[in-house]
Amino acid sequence: MITLLYIEKNMIVTKDKEGGRMLEKQTKLLKITAFIVLLIIYGTHVTDQVQAEDNSSKKVLILNSYHEGLTWTKEETEGIMQTLNDEGRNISFYVEYMDWKNHNSEKNLDYLYDYYKYKYEHNKVDLIMATDDVALQFALQYGEEIFANAPVVFCGVNKESAEAITKGESNVTGVIEVVDPTETLKIASEINPSLKNVYLLYDNSESGLSTGNIAVTEIEKFNPDLMVESWNDLAFEEVLERARSLEQDSIILITTYYSDATGKIFDMDYVNREVCAQSSVPVYGLYDFGLDRGIIGGVLLSGRLQGENAAKIAGRILDGEDPDDIPISAPNSMRTAFDYNELQQYDISLDALPDDSEIINKPFSFYETYKTLVLSVVAAFIILFVFIYILLFYIRKIQKMKKNLAENNEELTQLYEELTASDEEMKQQYDEIISINEKIRLSEEKLSYLAYHDSLTGLPNKLSLYEESKIIFSSKDLKAALLFIDIDNFKYVNDTMGHVFGDSLIIKLGERLTELLRYNCYLYRLSGDEFVVIWKDMAQTDRVEEYATFILSDFLTNFELLNSDLHVSISIGIAMYPNHATDLEELLKYADIAMYQAKDTGKKRYMVYDQAMNEAFTERVSIEKYLQKALEHQEFEVYYQPQLDIKNNCITGFEALLRWNSPELGKVSPMKFIDVAEDTHFIIPLGTWVLHEACGFLSRLEEKGYGKMDISVNISILQLLQEDFIDIITDALEKYQIEPERLELEITESILMESFERIITKLQILRNRNIRIALDDFGKGYSSLNYLKQLPITTLKVDKSFIDYITDTKEDDFVSHIISIGKYLGMCVVAEGVEVQNQLDYLIKYDCDKIQGFLFCRGNV
């Protein structure tokens, strides 16, 4: 700006003195302006390049102090990931759980150190998100050695711990967990003005003691007259006993409690439910994960809000800001929330709560929800009533006038009335004809709509697809694609959640697919959970696979449905027009075949049809056809693979293996017919038959004098979901007089991960009855380690794929770690597929308990 002003001034002076030099000055000014414009364009280009580089994928490690099943940890993690994803960032998340609540030992830290060093020493992360104290301390201690000195952002750590851990550290910032029960105590005091005693429940862990001390200090600041008693020095049974006998001038305040004074470990949800169920007075909380689990509520710390606030700071660092320039802060992470059911139990009115309170479990009220609509309808009825009253008034007035005229001129009145009556009659007839025609037109439109649209989702239906396909597939010169979409495990959803939930899921799925449609794409619902997308007039046929990938990636996010957070995946089969077929029926058939192939290869993916799939589909149809009668025709056999006790060098039991020898199909691999049996629910009677065969075999062995052996039987998720499953197990044991401890039920990691919440109760009941539980194919899953401590597992089975890595030239350290974990947790470790002496030597060296395989038994009994 200064330069330009100077030039203008110079030009004015020059004009006064030397008119001939004006043109030269203007030429220089134009050159300077052009140079500035070029600099701006170049700077914009450089900025675009920098922005393009900034859009490259960032690696963010979320390091959690506790286990995945802990609600607080889950909320923090989801808050972090959701916030960073909502900002539109390209981020690859790595999530780890240190499980410090269950394994707070130096041995665990040494194991995690080896594991994380192996995993991240050469896999550099751009940022570490540490939740709670132990994760923050670990990240700072080994940040340079393991994590390439990546910046650290923490949350879930109170002020005292944050100052102690980060003292003298750099490249770290975060949000503080503010432990302040003051607002909750204000509400409790307003609800119960006679409040005198506060009983504080927390454990003796580092975080528990820290939180408890802060809570005591804040309560004394709020009201020195309140008597505060801490229960951290009591056994849990003593806590429940005292809670039953409290006076009405008292409340209980729960912070965090994962172990009692005796060191016994507890689940926090269990603690909340038991204390609240036994307490004679209201129970308030410090954290919102106690809601809907018995506490009455309060002003609660939210793990999700902690995660969201920390993620905002992380976003600033990922954008290039120095962590040391961002001070540690304490943003508001509280929510005022109460449980309606608990308020009713203690006869507490909603009017006694703050106006901004969030109420959960409150029954639906039509008037409160639609108050404006109800008042509007009432007002409309009042106006209508007034209008009718006025109309009646004028009608009566007119009638009176007519009567007066009739008295004066009766003949003229009669003639007028006759004419009026005739006119009214004709008018009514005309109006009736118009009304009938309108009803006929609306009915025709409604019938036409219903004929071509799905009644549940409102999408075009199968009939509409067939009608429109005549136009879409009319020319072989045009390219088109048919995508057959099906929900994975939809039968499980209907069986476990109910058909109403299933219908709601279908509606939500239709809405999401509609949002993902591209130009020239059309969506139809065939039936059940089957949808079809037609992409017509395609310029490039290879783009359909890119589109299928786009649809699958969108389904990585969860559905929020009927107060449930549900993960739903889909499988897609693709058929091309006219490459694969020119007829809609054949295109649907081939796309359906491709979809089934996608499910068979792991689900959550797409497959494009080829001729080989048709053969596989035909084979599946044949298996399903003959499978239903196979049990009736006695085509199944049970083989028994021995299990060798390494230390005693003797056979202690067998695993029951199902085989099918079909007269039509020959010997059918279990890998093929088991999946079909589960899809058709035939696995339920088949599994019961195998259980009885195995128990009968064990009984016959004992009768022949072989002593008491054990038997292992594989079970399916569908069997576990049956209400009478435990009765079936009990009946079989009683029928063959088998002791419960001699029966072992094997479940796979896939069942464990997909159905943990639904099967944990049944497994615990079985274990309480001395029936043993084995985790089969261990090591092939993703995060079963987080659940090993929670599940009543007695046996850990190492998958054959890991045993195969043990050869004459190398040993698999991973197998030794699995054996160590099993031993540490008090489980029996069984290695499957042992075939050579070197593998046996290795397993003996690392103290494995039992083996199965061809090394000592080529055949099956």
Side-chain angles (χ1 to χ4, degrees):
M1 177 66 74
I2 295 174
T3 304
L4 292 176
L5 290 173
Y6 173 77
I7 293 172
E8 288 182 0
K9 181 179 179 182
N10 207 15
M11 288 173 61
I12 294 171
V13 174
T14 303
K15 183 176 180 181
D16 293 337
K17 294 182 178 181
E18 301 177 39
R21 297 176 61 189
M22 177 66 73
L23 182 61
E24 181 181 353
K25 291 293 184 178
Q26 291 177 340
T27 302
K28 289 182 178 181
L29 178 60
L30 289 174
K31 289 180 179 180
I32 294 172
T33 304
F35 178 74
I36 293 172
V37 171
L38 289 174
L39 284 177
I40 294 173
I41 293 173
Y42 175 77
T44 302
H45 176 68
V46 171
T47 301
D48 289 342
Q49 285 185 333
V50 171
Q51 291 177 347
E53 292 176 357
D54 289 342
N55 287 332
S56 60
S57 176
K58 301 289 187 180
K59 296 180 180 179
V60 175
L61 169 62
I62 303 177
L63 186 60
N64 295 290
S65 297
Y66 310 129
H67 56 278
E68 185 178 5
L70 188 64
T71 305
W72 172 261
T73 297
K74 179 181 178 183
E75 291 287 329
E76 286 180 301
T77 302
E78 289 179 352
I80 292 169
M81 298 178 71
Q82 185 68 45
T83 301
L84 291 175
N85 283 331
D86 288 346
E87 292 177 355
R89 301 180 182 277
N90 184 12
I91 293 178
S92 296
F93 289 101
Y94 298 80
V95 184
E96 302 289 353
Y97 302 90
M98 299 179 69
D99 201 7
W100 190 248
K101 290 291 184 187
N102 297 319
H103 302 287
N104 53 351
S105 65
E106 289 296 323
K107 185 176 181 180
N108 184 33
L109 290 177
D110 293 340
Y111 168 78
L112 293 173
Y113 170 85
D114 294 338
Y115 176 67
Y116 292 154
K117 186 174 183 180
Y118 165 77
K119 192 170 182 180
Y120 295 106
E121 186 176 26
H122 302 294
N123 183 22
K124 181 181 178 182
V125 296
D126 299 289
L127 180 70
I128 301 175
M129 303 291 297
T131 71
D132 302 289
D133 303 37
V134 178
L136 174 59
Q137 193 168 6
F138 189 91
L140 293 177
Q141 183 175 356
Y142 301 111
E144 183 174 355
E145 183 178 358
I146 298 178
F147 304 111
N149 204 25
V152 178
V153 178
F154 66 84
C155 63
V157 182
N158 63 44
K159 184 178 180 182
E160 292 181 3
S161 297
E163 290 176 350
I165 296 173
T166 61
K167 184 177 181 180
E169 299 287 348
S170 61
N171 208 24
V172 57
T173 185
V175 295
I176 293 174
E177 171 188 293
V178 179
V179 179
D180 187 1
T182 302
E183 295 300 323
T184 298
L185 291 173
K186 287 181 181 178
I187 297 172
S189 299
E190 292 178 3
I191 293 174
N192 184 8
S194 63
L195 179 64
K196 295 180 180 179
N197 304 298
V198 178
Y199 296 94
L200 195 60
L201 183 59
Y202 57 89
D203 59 26
N204 293 315
S205 65
E206 305 98 320
S207 60
L209 291 173
S210 175
T211 302
N213 292 334
I214 294 174
V216 170
T217 302
E218 295 299 328
I219 293 172
E220 292 175 348
K221 287 182 182 179
F222 168 70
N223 186 352
D225 295 331
L226 285 176
M227 193 282 288
V228 182
E229 179 177 331
S230 298
W231 285 352
N232 63 308
D233 58 345
L234 302 179
F236 187 63
E237 289 77 13
E238 294 178 289
V239 170
L240 296 180
E241 183 178 351
R242 293 197 182 185
R244 297 187 196 103
S245 59
L246 296 180
E247 299 294 335
Q248 295 305 307
D249 60 352
S250 307
I251 63 169
I252 297 175
L253 179 62
I254 298 180
T255 61
T256 57
Y257 191 86
Y258 295 93
S259 61
D260 64 2
T262 66
K264 187 176 180 181
I265 302 298
F266 291 91
D267 178 72
M268 192 63 197
D269 289 347
Y270 171 79
V271 170
N272 282 320
R273 286 194 299 267
E274 285 299 307
V275 173
C276 294
Q278 300 291 335
S279 176
S280 61
V281 298
V283 180
Y284 292 83
L286 193 62
Y287 297 90
D288 66 353
F289 53 70
L291 280 174
D292 204 21
R293 291 167 177 84
I295 72 166
I296 196 170
V299 181
L300 310 171
L301 267 170
S302 169
R304 181 176 291 274
L305 293 177
Q306 277 277 299
E308 291 175 358
N309 290 326
K312 292 175 183 177
I313 295 177
R316 294 167 59 184
I317 295 174
L318 292 174
D319 289 338
E321 195 168 350
D322 190 341
D324 294 330
D325 294 336
I326 304 175
I328 296 173
S329 60
N332 185 18
S333 300
M334 314 289 281
R335 54 185 287 222
T336 304
F338 294 87
D339 190 326
Y340 182 86
N341 294 332
E342 301 302 319
L343 293 172
Q344 293 294 302
Q345 178 181 346
Y346 294 101
D347 196 22
I348 298 174
S349 172
L350 297 180
D351 296 334
L353 306 179
D355 295 336
D356 61 344
S357 297
E358 176 186 351
I359 309 297
I360 68 169
N361 295 327
K362 185 178 181 181
F364 175 77
S365 170
F366 182 87
Y367 175 74
E368 291 184 3
T369 305
Y370 302 103
K371 183 177 181 180
T372 303
L373 177 61
V374 172
L375 294 177
S376 300
V377 171
V378 172
F381 271 106
I382 293 174
I383 293 171
L384 181 61
F385 176 78
V386 173
F387 176 76
I388 293 174
Y389 178 80
I390 295 172
L391 184 61
L392 289 174
F393 172 78
Y394 279 104
I395 290 175
R396 290 175 181 174
K397 189 174 182 180
I398 292 172
Q399 288 177 345
K400 186 176 181 180
M401 293 173 63
K402 286 182 179 180
K403 185 177 180 181
N404 291 335
L405 289 173
E407 292 175 353
N408 295 330
N409 196 341
E410 185 175 353
E411 184 177 350
L412 183 60
T413 301
Q414 289 178 354
L415 179 61
Y416 173 76
E417 289 177 352
E418 290 176 1
L419 292 173
T420 302
S422 298
D423 182 60
E424 287 292 330
E425 184 177 355
M426 292 178 63
K427 184 177 180 181
Q428 288 178 0
Q429 292 176 352
Y430 176 76
D431 290 341
E432 288 177 1
I433 293 172
I434 295 298
S435 177
I436 291 171
N437 288 337
E438 180 66 16
K439 290 180 180 179
I440 292 173
R441 184 185 66 81
L442 293 175
S443 297
E444 289 177 348
E445 290 181 356
K446 186 175 181 180
L447 288 173
S448 176
Y449 180 85
L450 293 175
Y452 289 95
H453 289 79
D454 174 49
S455 60
L456 180 62
T457 63
L459 293 171
N461 60 13
K462 190 173 185 179
L463 179 59
S464 178
L465 172 61
Y466 275 84
E467 290 289 337
E468 295 175 8
S469 67
K470 298 174 183 177
I471 301 174
I472 297 174
F473 305 126
S474 59
S475 173
K476 295 182 180 179
D477 295 331
L478 299 176
K479 307 292 184 182
L482 188 149
L483 289 77
F484 198 105
I485 302 173
D486 186 87
I487 303 177
D488 296 331
N489 301 321
F490 183 69
K491 289 183 180 179
Y492 294 163
V493 174
N494 266 350
D495 289 344
T496 57
M497 307 298 287
H499 291 282
V500 174
F501 189 92
D503 288 345
S504 300
L505 176 58
I506 291 294
I507 294 172
K508 283 288 186 181
L509 183 75
E511 292 173 354
R512 182 170 288 189
L513 289 174
T514 301
E515 294 173 356
L516 300 178
L517 290 178
R518 292 184 174 178
Y519 176 71
N520 268 353
C521 288
Y522 303 90
L523 176 64
Y524 305 85
R525 183 193 178 202
L526 293 190
S527 62
D529 59 331
E530 297 174 345
F531 293 81
V532 166
V533 174
I534 300 291
W535 189 350
K536 72 172 188 178
D537 298 340
M538 296 179 60
Q540 296 176 320
T541 56
D542 57 349
R543 291 187 62 195
V544 68
E545 296 191 46
E546 173 193 332
Y547 181 43
T549 302
F550 167 70
I551 294 175
L552 291 171
S553 65
D554 188 85
F555 277 80
L556 296 176
T557 58
N558 289 355
F559 279 82
E560 292 184 4
L561 187 64
L562 299 180
N563 297 324
S564 296
D565 195 18
L566 181 67
H567 176 70
V568 176
S569 64
I570 59 174
S571 297
I572 303 175
I574 303 173
M576 305 299 299
Y577 170 90
N579 299 16
H580 297 145
T582 58
D583 177 71
L584 176 62
E585 285 286 355
E586 290 186 340
L587 285 170
L588 284 172
K589 173 185 175 183
Y590 295 154
D592 190 21
I593 291 172
M595 183 272 295
Y596 271 106
Q597 184 67 21
K599 286 183 178 291
D600 288 341
T601 54
K603 304 174 183 177
K604 304 180 184 179
R605 63 193 67 199
Y606 71 87
M607 296 292 287
V608 180
Y609 170 79
D610 61 34
Q611 185 61 34
M613 292 181 186
N614 197 20
E615 298 173 1
F617 182 76
T618 303
E619 181 185 34
R620 178 187 174 90
V621 171
S622 297
I623 290 175
E624 185 172 343
K625 174 183 177 182
Y626 295 111
L627 185 63
Q628 299 298 325
K629 298 292 184 180
L631 187 58
E632 179 183 342
H633 295 165
Q634 299 180 353
E635 297 173 10
F636 290 107
E637 293 181 280
V638 179
Y639 291 175
Y640 301 95
Q641 186 178 53
Q643 293 180 337
L644 179 69
D645 187 314
I646 297 178
K647 295 179 181 179
N648 299 321
N649 196 28
C650 64
I651 294 175
T652 58
F654 301 86
E655 179 180 356
L657 304 175
L658 180 62
R659 298 293 182 264
W660 179 23
N661 189 6
S662 170
E664 295 82 9
L665 305 177
K667 292 184 178 180
V668 185
S669 168
M671 298 296 292
K672 295 181 178 179
F673 74 80
I674 291 297
D675 287 341
V676 177
E678 288 189 337
D679 289 342
T680 60
H681 285 206
F682 181 67
I683 194 69
I684 296 172
L686 183 58
T688 302
W689 179 83
V690 172
L691 175 65
H692 280 265
E693 286 291 308
C695 289
F697 169 76
L698 207 60
S699 179
R700 291 190 297 273
L701 283 181
E702 186 172 350
E703 291 175 359
K704 293 179 180 180
Y706 287 100
K708 294 185 179 296
M709 298 283 187
D710 298 334
I711 192 71
S712 295
V713 180
N714 290 277
I715 56 174
S716 164
I717 177 62
L718 286 178
Q719 293 175 263
L720 272 171
L721 292 176
Q722 300 306 304
E723 292 183 0
D724 61 346
F725 176 72
I726 296 177
D727 293 335
I728 291 173
I729 299 295
T730 303
D731 292 344
L733 293 174
E734 291 178 354
K735 178 179 179 181
Y736 296 100
Q737 297 183 348
I738 304 296
E739 293 88 343
E741 59 269 18
R742 295 171 60 192
L743 175 62
E744 183 173 74
L745 301 178
E746 294 192 14
I747 59 174
T748 62
E749 278 195 289
S750 59
I751 293 178
L752 172 65
M753 296 307 297
E754 293 177 5
S755 311
F756 176 81
E757 297 294 340
R758 285 174 281 168
I759 67 175
I760 177 63
T761 302
K762 288 186 178 179
L763 293 180
Q764 191 61 58
I765 294 173
L766 291 169
R767 189 67 197 100
N768 291 340
R769 297 184 182 183
N770 291 329
I771 296 170
R772 294 181 291 120
I773 310 296
L775 184 61
D776 196 13
D777 297 338
F778 180 75
K780 296 173 71 177
Y782 174 66
S783 57
S784 294
L785 289 175
N786 298 321
Y787 295 96
L788 281 180
K789 191 65 178 177
Q790 301 178 50
L791 281 169
I793 298 171
T794 58
T795 302
L796 208 61
K797 303 197 75 175
V798 185
D799 186 70
K800 181 180 183 300
S801 60
F802 295 107
I803 302 300
D804 289 342
Y805 277 101
I806 304 172
T807 65
D808 292 332
T809 58
K810 64 179 182 179
E811 293 183 354
D812 188 353
D813 290 336
F814 188 66
V815 174
S816 67
H817 286 308
I818 293 177
I819 296 174
S820 298
I821 292 172
K823 289 292 187 179
Y824 177 75
L825 297 176
M827 300 177 186
C828 174
V829 182
V830 180
E832 297 181 304
V834 180
E835 298 179 353
V836 295
Q837 183 64 37
N838 183 62
Q839 295 172 345
L840 177 59
D841 295 339
Y842 175 90
L843 296 170
I844 293 174
K845 174 182 176 181
Y846 289 103
D847 200 23
C848 183
D849 296 303
K850 299 180 182 180
I851 64 170
Q852 295 177 215
F854 290 162
L855 177 62
F856 74 97
C857 183
R858 272 285 168 186
N860 296 304
V861 179

